[in-house]
Amino acid sequence: MDDRTLTRIAEALERMSPAPLAPPDFAAAEAFVWHVDPDRLEPVAQVNRVDLSLLVGVDRSRDTLLENTLQFARGLPANNALLWGARGMGKSSLVKAIHAEVLQQGLPLKIVELQREDLPSVARLLNLLRDRKERFLLFCDDLSFSHDDQHYKSLKAVLDGGIEGRPENVVFYATSNRRHLMPRDMIENERSSAINPSEAVEEKVSLSDRFGLWLGFHPCSQDEYLEMIRGYCAAYAVEIAPEVLRAEAIEWQATRGARSGRVAWQYFTDLAGRRGMTLG
């Protein structure tokens, strides 16, 4: 075998097993997004988020998650957290707003967003973060699993950490519309058709049990919906007569067939646009 053949074989092996990913400059940003193919942590210069004070109707979840995050940022034990419940009620907004609040209090904390479809790569991400002096909040938005989805097995590496254990400097927050991360009808179908009904779904259902904090988000009342909009108007100095705001906001939610924090923001965005105001 000549030298050129050996060189080609070596190059092919290197492509199949790339060199370990070099850690990025974590001092360059407070937020990162994890990408694969190739693996990399992309810094985010400006995170898309709202101020913590503008999140209405989630006081208990806000206080609990903030205290847990402050504990973690101070180097103390903290729990992984699952934020579940009604769509558009500020689950992901709360995570990002709390990260900003922790930074504002002078505590160092990096947030790393991880997409659900990239969960199989999470072991590589954890190896990159393990033993770093920085502390990392891993965040996965809109987490859920279907019948034949095997991604949930990768999530156990974050929640349990396998034989090595979850890195001490990493905590994991996820949002989901489902408390058990899988549809209720799927749970019932598997229980009714399986030879051993309890074991059929236990592995997936028990995944949510691995989160130390379960924070529920429920549909808002009309008063809370209007309070959200009034808060946005005050924060961005948009003036509107109270009776006009109430009439327009209620009509807006009626046309959407829903009432939530997201719908409140969408109405306010329309209102600001009609007034010729930017929200940057």
Side-chain angles (χ1 to χ4, degrees):
M1 190 177 295
D2 58 28
D3 291 344
R4 284 182 295 180
T5 302
L6 289 173
T7 299
R8 288 198 299 270
I9 293 174
E11 290 173 348
L13 290 173
E14 185 175 348
R15 288 193 296 271
M16 293 172 61
S17 301
L21 177 66
D25 179 11
F26 285 117
E30 303 297 340
F32 297 82
V33 176
W34 173 248
H35 296 285
V36 298
D37 297 327
D39 290 352
R40 62 198 186 278
L41 277 168
E42 293 284 350
V44 178
Q46 185 172 355
V47 178
N48 178 28
R49 54 188 165 202
V50 299
D51 189 83
L52 190 60
S53 63
L54 294 178
L55 298 178
V56 173
V58 294
D59 295 4
R60 183 178 180 184
S61 294
R62 177 199 64 205
D63 295 345
T64 302
L65 194 64
L66 178 58
E67 183 58 34
N68 190 70
T69 312
L70 287 171
Q71 286 178 198
F72 177 73
R74 292 171 180 143
L76 300 171
N79 277 302
N80 299 313
L82 174 63
L83 290 70
W84 67 276
R87 296 189 304 271
M89 280 305 298
K91 297 184 293 293
S92 60
S93 295
L94 181 60
V95 173
K96 291 181 286 186
I98 280 181
H99 175 246
E101 177 65 22
V102 170
L103 295 178
Q104 190 172 348
Q105 294 193 25
L107 295 170
L109 179 64
K110 309 294 181 182
I111 188 170
V112 177
E113 185 171 23
L114 170 71
Q115 301 300 320
R116 191 200 70 89
E117 56 267 25
D118 293 331
L119 281 173
S121 69
V122 74
R124 302 196 299 273
L125 173 58
L126 292 180
N127 286 335
L128 183 66
L129 305 181
R130 191 183 301 273
D131 298 326
R132 295 286 307 181
K133 62 180 178 60
E134 298 90 355
R135 301 186 72 74
F136 299 95
L137 165 55
L138 262 60
F139 172 50
C140 185
D141 193 21
D142 197 19
L143 180 64
S144 62
F145 303 103
S146 59
H147 175 76
D148 56 352
D149 195 335
Q150 298 298 308
H151 285 19
Y152 73 94
K153 294 183 178 180
S154 301
L155 181 55
K156 291 181 180 179
V158 184
L159 302 177
D160 294 339
I163 193 170
E164 291 182 291
R166 174 168 57 89
E168 181 275 336
N169 64 330
V170 173
V171 72
F172 182 71
Y173 290 177
T175 70
S176 177
N177 295 332
R178 304 164 182 164
R179 182 176 182 179
H180 289 297
L181 304 177
M182 59 188 295
R184 181 179 298 275
D185 60 346
M186 185 187 306
I187 296 174
E188 297 304 324
N189 287 341
E190 290 200 22
R191 281 181 175 152
S192 63
S193 61
I195 296 175
N196 190 328
S198 61
E199 290 183 1
V201 294
E202 183 178 358
E203 188 173 25
K204 288 183 181 177
V205 172
S206 67
L207 186 63
S208 59
D209 293 338
R210 290 174 164 85
F211 290 90
L213 292 180
W214 283 9
L215 303 176
F217 289 70
H218 308 287
C220 63
S221 66
Q222 182 167 287
D223 287 344
E224 289 171 334
Y225 168 73
L226 294 171
E227 185 182 350
M228 293 172 189
I229 298 172
R230 286 193 291 266
Y232 294 140
C233 289
Y236 290 94
V238 174
E239 295 185 3
I240 180 173
E243 63 276 10
V244 175
L245 183 148
R246 180 182 178 85
E248 288 188 357
I250 291 176
E251 181 183 4
W252 183 275
Q253 67 143 76
T255 62
R256 295 299 303 270
R259 184 170 57 223
S260 68
R262 182 178 295 132
V263 173
W265 176 256
Q266 290 167 346
Y267 164 73
F268 175 72
T269 299
D270 177 75
L271 173 63
R274 287 187 280 116
R275 297 298 179 91
M277 301 188 66
T278 61
L279 303 178

